Amino acid sequence: MTLVAVCADDDVEEGGSAGFRLETQDGPLRLMVIRKCGALHVYVNVCPHRRLPLDFHPGRFLTEDGRHILCTNHIALFRLEDGVCVDGPCRGQALQPVPYTVKGGVLFVTVGPERQA
């Protein structure tokens, strides 16, 4: 496992989201980072239904009201806090969370072979 810098901690505004593509030694890794109520949520940007990225518009992952993560390909809804699908064709499945840490104002994620998508 390796720590990889993703962005500055303040690059994702409160109530907002952003997408990132990291090049790792094991290949590319697409991520989504969401900030809600001061907490960060980091997931692999792949819908469990068809293995497609969730964001039709790059970096836009949230519903209009900001309560759920939205897969714009299948209109599936996922809870922010645990990535579980609560509506849509992949109901009950979940997004893959990515371990992270913030050090010196920088968001780092833990990557390894099993984190690839």
Side-chain angles (χ1 to χ4, degrees):
M1 299 298 224
T2 305
L3 281 180
V4 177
V6 176
C7 62
D9 177 43
D10 59 3
D11 280 352
V12 181
E13 298 177 0
E14 174 61 36
S17 63
F20 299 93
R21 180 183 164 103
L22 304 179
E23 293 299 330
T24 72
Q25 70 183 44
D26 297 309
L29 176 63
R30 294 183 309 266
L31 300 176
M32 69 179 91
V33 179
I34 298 160
R35 184 183 300 274
K36 183 74 173 191
C37 298
L40 290 173
H41 305 279
V42 183
Y43 297 102
V44 175
N45 180 10
V46 174
C47 180
H49 177 232
R50 295 277 186 187
R51 309 290 304 157
L52 296 170
L54 281 82
D55 56 335
F56 181 75
H57 298 287
R60 295 177 63 187
F61 296 99
L62 300 176
T63 56
E64 293 267 335
D65 62 8
R67 292 182 51 215
H68 292 94
I69 299 166
L70 171 68
C71 175
T72 54
N73 291 294
H74 311 107
I75 317 303
L77 298 176
F78 300 85
R79 289 190 302 238
L80 292 173
E81 58 274 1
D82 60 10
V84 171
C85 181
V86 295
D87 193 23
C90 51
R91 185 183 302 253
Q93 296 178 345
L95 301 171
Q96 181 181 356
V98 178
Y100 73 89
T101 188
V102 176
K103 293 182 182 179
V106 177
L107 173 68
F108 292 88
V109 294
T110 303
V111 298
E114 71 280 2
R115 297 278 175 219
Q116 301 307 301

